[in-house]
Amino acid sequence: RSVRVGVWCVVLGRVRLLLLDTDVEGNAPWDRELSARLYGGDQETRLKQEMILGIGGVKALGALSIEPSLWHLNEGHAAFVTLERLRALVEGGQSFADALREVRATTVFTTHTPVPAGHDAFPFHLVENQFGASWGALAPYRDDFLALGAHDNGGGSLFNMTALALRSAGGVNAVSRRHREVTSSMWSPIWANHADHEPADQQKAGHDPVKAVTNGIHISTWIAPTISKLLDEYLDHDWREHGDDPSVWDGIFSIPDEKLWAARQALRAYLIAFIRERARARWVEQSVSPAQVVAAGTLLDPAALTIGFARRFTGYKRPELIFTDAERLAEILNSSRYPVQIIFAGKAHPADDIGKHHLQHVYKRAMDPAFGGRVAFVDDYDLHVAHFFIQGCDVWLNTPRKPLEASGTSGMKASINGAIHLSVGDGWWHEGFTGTNGWLIDGQGAAEETDVDAADANALYRVIEQEVVPSFYELDGNGVPKRWLTMVKEAIRTVAPNFGARRMVKQYIEEFYAPMANSKAPIG
């Protein structure tokens, strides 16, 4: 059957964002629901959504007379773009091999997921059933197209959207250097058998085409006005336009420690005031219990060393790692001379029961009197809350189980605001850690998963006790923690130029867009 798709255009500065909507007149009720939510439903619904995104996306651009010279697919969800483009080229008279060659020469694919279960895969009969009469001129080449998506992940061959994208893109990248290693290993069967599915002049079997373009964050969006004003005063006036130049950030050391410390204290105070006001409003509006009010952060100290953990709650991120030894943690938090507090925020995916359990357990910890009100959980986490968190925390905690974090970006956002990163060496921190711009959690040597968790937890406590707390509370005669601020400046100086969106986009242009647009040939 046919599904009608509406297109919404959102104008964001100089950028147009096109959104596809199936909730339009003329569609059956069940088809109107296809664009209602990102995840949900069964495999058949997911497949239909990806047909809307990929095939519908190409048709929408055509209806708007937009003719891209290069197509960039982020994750495999939009991989059916290649099907629609192949069909149009074959209908125009090209052979399947020539059409595939042209599609590959003008397609870049970025994979973001190091977890095999995170890559959508469907039974072949389901794909064939959903496409039905939609093959058009590709009907004689149906088996060739299905072969592009064939991949066995250990449970028999399925039509894998990432495999389709990898085989039909001429430029492929992961989102960090560490993730590139994981991706190359995960998809090595495709590189080994590449020649089985490609024209003779395409990539040779055994050639690994994956590059690394580490994610970056838009600095102007995430940096606090308080920090931005200091940068305006002590860096070159055009630092925003040249933010990917490391030399621009050397001026960070000219900022007086007293001014930077005042800015950091103000940001922490803003965060605590924001959390307290939300807790007060919740008490008034929802009549919650006193324990819930405490868990929401009413007892937080605006002058205490504040550790933040805010992200999606899921198993591999190990949100409960810091509670491994509750007695040791309570001793750290409840120190009368050097108090420490931890603020959690985040959500679990609706279908992630394990993530939900982690969230519930952390919330119960926030209500535990043993921690003296120094653990808080902020609910309804969104972008607004995220700004306060990444700007106001002193330390940004990240505890993924290696090597399951592809990149991560929250630590980048925190670092440019002077919130020092404390993380496992995975994702972007694997390449971002210099030894002087934050701390590394390294349990070393453990093999079993439970042993890894215990070793990492012990390493985390050791870093907090021996490095984080002493440097934060070691004040000079003017009440300024100079050793701490040296690390704050190093965090800003090293992270801003190397993990900003400007660097990232330029890297895509220089390594993919420009070479492919100029030569109309795949990279590699």
Side-chain angles (χ1 to χ4, degrees):
R1 62 184 183 277
S2 295
V3 177
R4 300 171 63 87
V5 179
V7 183
W8 294 84
C9 180
V10 183
V11 179
L12 302 164
R14 293 172 292 178
V15 176
R16 282 191 299 167
L17 172 65
L18 303 179
L19 304 174
L20 304 184
D21 182 8
T22 62
D23 187 16
V24 296
E25 292 291 335
N27 282 341
W30 43 90
D31 287 334
R32 295 183 73 148
E33 290 289 317
L34 288 175
S35 62
R37 57 191 57 83
L38 182 60
Y39 299 110
D42 53 19
Q43 276 197 314
E44 184 174 334
T45 299
R46 186 67 175 155
L47 179 58
K48 292 174 183 176
Q49 290 179 319
E50 296 188 349
M51 292 175 67
I52 295 295
L53 178 61
I55 299 173
V58 177
K59 289 181 177 292
L61 292 176
L64 293 168
S65 300
I66 297 173
E67 300 179 4
S69 58
L70 202 70
W71 300 70
H72 189 161
L73 309 181
N74 271 285
E75 207 59 285
H77 312 311
F80 284 136
V81 160
T82 62
L83 171 71
E84 185 61 21
R85 294 184 64 211
L86 284 168
R87 180 167 56 187
L89 292 170
V90 171
E91 287 177 351
Q94 292 192 28
S95 67
F96 182 82
D98 288 342
L100 179 58
R101 186 177 296 107
E102 182 169 336
V103 168
R104 292 195 69 249
T106 53
T107 302
V108 178
F109 172 60
T110 300
T111 177
H112 297 258
T113 308
V115 183
H119 298 268
D120 290 333
F122 307 99
F124 283 94
H125 70 84
L126 186 62
V127 176
E128 290 188 282
N129 180 58
Q130 286 304 317
F131 278 108
S134 300
W135 292 104
L138 275 186
Y141 307 103
R142 183 188 64 179
D143 291 342
D144 297 278
F145 177 81
L146 293 175
L148 291 175
H151 183 68
D152 189 343
N153 194 34
S157 185
L158 295 171
F159 187 88
N160 188 291
M161 297 296 285
T162 300
L164 169 62
L166 290 170
R167 291 193 180 107
S168 55
V172 177
N173 75 280
V175 290
S176 72
R177 295 173 191 170
R178 179 74 178 114
H179 182 223
R180 194 208 74 78
E181 298 171 7
V182 174
T183 298
S184 295
S185 175
M186 180 186 301
W187 299 101
S188 58
I190 287 185
W191 322 139
N193 302 317
H194 211 67
D196 295 343
H197 302 292
E198 301 296 341
D201 63 342
Q202 298 297 305
Q203 293 180 342
K204 298 177 182 178
H207 174 67
D208 179 354
V210 183
K211 291 190 173 186
V213 181
T214 304
N215 282 342
I217 50 107
H218 189 248
I219 292 174
S220 295
T221 293
W222 290 102
I223 199 162
T226 308
I227 301 297
S228 185
K229 288 178 182 177
L230 285 177
L231 299 180
D232 288 337
E233 185 175 356
Y234 291 96
L235 267 58
D236 291 340
H237 70 280
D238 58 351
W239 64 268
R240 290 178 179 82
E241 286 70 40
H242 301 281
D244 59 316
D245 181 355
S247 66
V248 168
W249 296 91
D250 290 341
I252 199 80
F253 291 105
S254 64
I255 300 176
D257 286 344
E258 292 76 11
K259 284 192 174 183
L260 183 56
W261 182 232
R264 289 297 315 151
Q265 285 185 303
L267 290 172
R268 188 189 324 110
Y270 295 155
L271 170 63
I272 303 304
F274 171 73
I275 291 173
R276 285 175 170 176
E277 179 57 28
R278 281 171 65 95
R280 186 195 68 81
R282 189 179 178 200
W283 191 27
V284 171
E285 296 167 4
Q286 301 179 23
S287 300
V288 296
S289 69
Q292 290 173 305
V293 174
V294 171
T298 51
L299 297 184
L300 294 174
D301 182 353
L305 170 60
T306 302
I307 299 174
F309 184 101
R311 51 186 42 84
R312 181 168 57 88
F313 273 61
T314 191
Y316 82 86
K317 293 182 182 289
R318 300 189 296 181
E320 295 185 72
L321 184 71
I322 200 168
F323 296 107
T324 301
D325 187 338
E327 290 185 6
R328 187 174 179 181
L329 178 61
E331 192 173 317
I332 294 171
L333 300 182
N334 293 321
S335 170
S336 56
R337 292 186 62 193
Y338 308 124
V340 179
Q341 56 198 11
I342 309 173
I343 312 174
F344 290 86
K347 295 179 179 179
H349 186 281
D352 185 356
D353 290 333
I354 294 176
K356 292 176 185 177
H357 288 311
H358 281 302
L359 191 152
Q360 291 164 359
H361 293 164
V362 169
Y363 186 74
K364 289 179 180 178
R365 296 285 192 177
M367 292 193 290
D368 189 343
F371 297 120
R374 295 202 186 278
V375 177
F377 184 90
V378 178
D379 57 7
D380 294 329
Y381 186 65
D382 57 17
L383 287 176
H384 181 58
V385 176
H387 273 82
F388 281 92
F389 262 74
I390 58 97
Q391 294 170 6
C393 290
D394 298 299
V395 175
W396 197 257
L397 180 61
N398 188 35
T399 54
R401 180 175 289 111
K402 294 190 294 186
L404 301 181
E405 175 127 297
S407 173
T409 58
S410 63
M412 304 173 189
K413 298 165 188 172
S415 293
I416 65 169
N417 285 287
I420 306 176
H421 205 214
L422 169 58
S423 176
V424 168
D426 200 14
W428 79 278
W429 196 233
H430 176 75
E431 64 197 79
F433 175 64
T434 66
T436 59
N437 64 350
W439 296 282
L440 191 67
I441 303 169
D442 188 1
Q444 299 182 346
E448 296 296 325
E449 190 171 289
T450 53
D451 294 337
V452 170
D453 290 350
D456 283 349
N458 187 57
L460 172 57
Y461 296 136
R462 186 172 61 249
V463 171
I464 293 175
E465 292 167 338
Q466 299 178 11
E467 299 182 45
V468 178
V469 171
S471 58
F472 183 85
Y473 284 107
E474 182 184 280
L475 307 179
D476 67 6
N478 296 317
V480 175
K482 286 191 172 295
R483 183 153 62 107
W484 180 271
L485 291 173
T486 297
M487 188 170 284
V488 167
K489 291 178 180 179
E490 274 294 314
I492 298 172
R493 186 186 71 84
T494 57
V495 173
N498 295 310
F499 299 96
R502 182 179 177 85
R503 184 276 311 158
M504 178 187 67
V505 173
K506 286 177 69 173
Q507 190 175 351
Y508 274 116
I509 292 171
E510 293 167 357
E511 297 188 18
F512 292 99
Y513 300 165
M516 292 177 72
N518 291 334
S519 68
K520 292 295 183 183
I523 296 293

